[in-house]
Amino acid sequence: MTVDREVIAQYEQAPPDEVSRATVIAYAVAAMLLFGWFLFGWLVLQQGFVDSVGEAAGAGFALLLVVSVVGTVRRSRR
């Protein structure tokens, strides 16, 4: 079994994709909103610490799922 050296060289020389400033800002805003959601549930609604952590973590994972699906759709259109 042989490997095409041109294909390997193409991937080795490709620079890594840079993350835009807007993406970093969006992630920071999302993190602050999730932390605020945790504090709201814990301090205002008085749900309990573990319940608030679980709810914030669930919202974070749902947000990551949405970002993953959007990224997949955008990449498939290229």
Side-chain angles (χ1 to χ4, degrees), residues 1-75:
M1 180 181 249
T2 62
V3 178
D4 190 0
R5 294 185 192 274
E6 293 176 4
V7 173
I8 293 174
Q10 176 186 3
Y11 286 108
E12 288 177 351
Q13 295 173 359
D17 293 335
E18 293 185 17
V19 179
S20 68
R21 183 175 289 153
T23 302
V24 172
I25 291 171
Y27 283 143
V29 168
M32 287 188 296
L33 287 174
L34 287 173
F35 185 68
W37 185 250
F38 160 74
L39 289 177
F40 178 75
W42 186 34
L43 300 174
V44 176
L45 298 178
Q46 298 177 353
Q47 293 178 348
F49 181 80
V50 175
D51 290 337
S52 296
V53 168
E55 190 171 332
F61 285 128
L63 184 61
L64 286 174
L65 179 64
V66 169
V67 168
S68 175
V69 169
V70 168
T72 301
V73 169
R74 286 184 63 199
R75 188 170 293 234

